Amino acid sequence: MNQPELLIRTYQSDDLPRLKDLTIEGFESVSIDRNIEDAFGEINGHDWRWRKVRHIDNDVEANSPGVFVAVLDGQVVGFITTRVDREAGTGLIPNLAVDSQQRQKGIGKKLLAQALDYFRGLELTHARIETLDQNEIGQRLYPWMGFQEVARQVHYCQKL
């Protein structure tokens, strides 16, 4: 039996609801917003999901040509978002998510490769990505893809 072919394509506006669903699923245990909610509860009547999916809206608004989706059997099963700073020569990858039923199949690697090729096509010289200490997949995948750890950051929050 033939394996369905994975297609990586540029974002289309009707992909947005699915990207948001993948964001909620993919960042359930690896989100600063979720960590804040775990410590403080909902903030201003909104849960972590509401705050996190707004990041996707912002990514799409900032650079929709640099948002790529993975499609398998006609279904969006993953995505990656990018930001570009041409003056600094850097590209940033703010968000990457793959459907939990499709993980460990190389989809995240292919999405990362697409983003890196996109940056190279723009003649950028460096790519950046961040992950949380609790994101075991990112901790393995990013170095495997050639990223080098350069710093660690601690996030704090307090109730006002």
Side-chain angles (χ1 to χ4, degrees), residues 16 34 48 50 60 68 85 89 97 106-107 121 124 136 142 145 149 153 156:
L16 189 58
R34 175 63 191 264
W48 75 270
W50 180 86
V60 166
F68 303 100
D85 185 339
I107 296 170
L124 302 179
E136 294 176 13
Y142 305 151
M145 292 292 296
E149 182 177 327
Q153 184 177 35
Y156 293 93

Side-chain angles (χ1 to χ4, degrees), residues 5-20 22-23 56 60 63-82 95-99 106-108 110-112 114-115 118:
E5 186 176 338
L6 180 73
L7 168 70
I8 306 290
R9 64 163 169 77
T10 305
Y11 164 84
Q12 299 168 1
S13 60
D14 57 345
D15 295 327
L16 189 58
R18 178 66 176 145
L19 271 55
K20 290 180 177 185
L22 289 169
T23 298
I56 306 309
V60 166
N63 188 29
S64 63
V67 176
F68 303 100
V69 299
V71 180
L72 189 65
D73 277 342
Q75 298 295 318
V76 174
V77 295
F79 74 93
I80 194 165
T81 65
T82 68
N95 288 288
L96 166 64
V98 175
D99 185 302
I107 296 170
K110 289 178 181 173
L111 285 164
L112 276 167
Q114 178 69 37
Y118 171 70

Side-chain angles (χ1 to χ4, degrees), residues 6-156:
L6 180 73
L7 168 70
I8 306 290
R9 64 163 169 77
T10 305
Y11 164 84
Q12 299 168 1
S13 60
D14 57 345
D15 295 327
L16 189 58
R18 178 66 176 145
L19 271 55
K20 290 180 177 185
D21 289 343
L22 289 169
T23 298
I24 290 168
E25 178 193 41
F27 286 87
E28 176 79 29
S29 63
V30 294
S31 167
I32 294 169
D33 291 308
R34 175 63 191 264
N35 292 354
I36 291 170
E37 184 171 306
D38 287 348
F40 296 95
E42 286 189 5
I43 298 174
N44 205 27
H46 298 290
D47 69 0
W48 75 270
R49 293 167 191 87
W50 180 86
R51 290 191 302 276
K52 183 62 185 171
V53 297
R54 292 175 70 217
H55 298 182
I56 306 309
D57 289 328
N58 293 337
D59 290 349
V60 166
E61 185 178 326
N63 188 29
S64 63
V67 176
F68 303 100
V69 299
V71 180
L72 189 65
D73 277 342
Q75 298 295 318
V76 174
V77 295
F79 74 93
I80 194 165
T81 65
T82 68
R83 303 278 184 117
V84 173
D85 185 339
R86 289 179 191 268
E87 268 187 279
T90 59
L92 173 66
I93 298 168
N95 288 288
L96 166 64
V98 175
D99 185 302
S100 63
Q101 301 299 309
Q102 300 298 330
R103 293 185 188 146
Q104 302 298 314
K105 296 180 180 179
I107 296 170
K109 291 174 189 169
K110 289 178 181 173
L111 285 164
L112 276 167
Q114 178 69 37
L116 297 173
D117 285 346
Y118 171 70
F119 293 152
R120 287 182 193 104
L122 296 174
E123 298 182 356
L124 302 179
T125 61
H126 291 80
R128 294 178 45 198
I129 194 165
E130 300 174 358
T131 194
L132 296 181
D133 198 13
Q134 67 211 51
N135 184 347
E136 294 176 13
I137 294 171
Q139 294 283 342
R140 286 190 314 270
L141 176 59
Y142 305 151
W144 189 87
M145 292 292 296
F147 289 91
Q148 295 177 325
E149 182 177 327
V150 294
R152 294 211 173 220
Q153 184 177 35
V154 179
H155 294 259
Y156 293 93

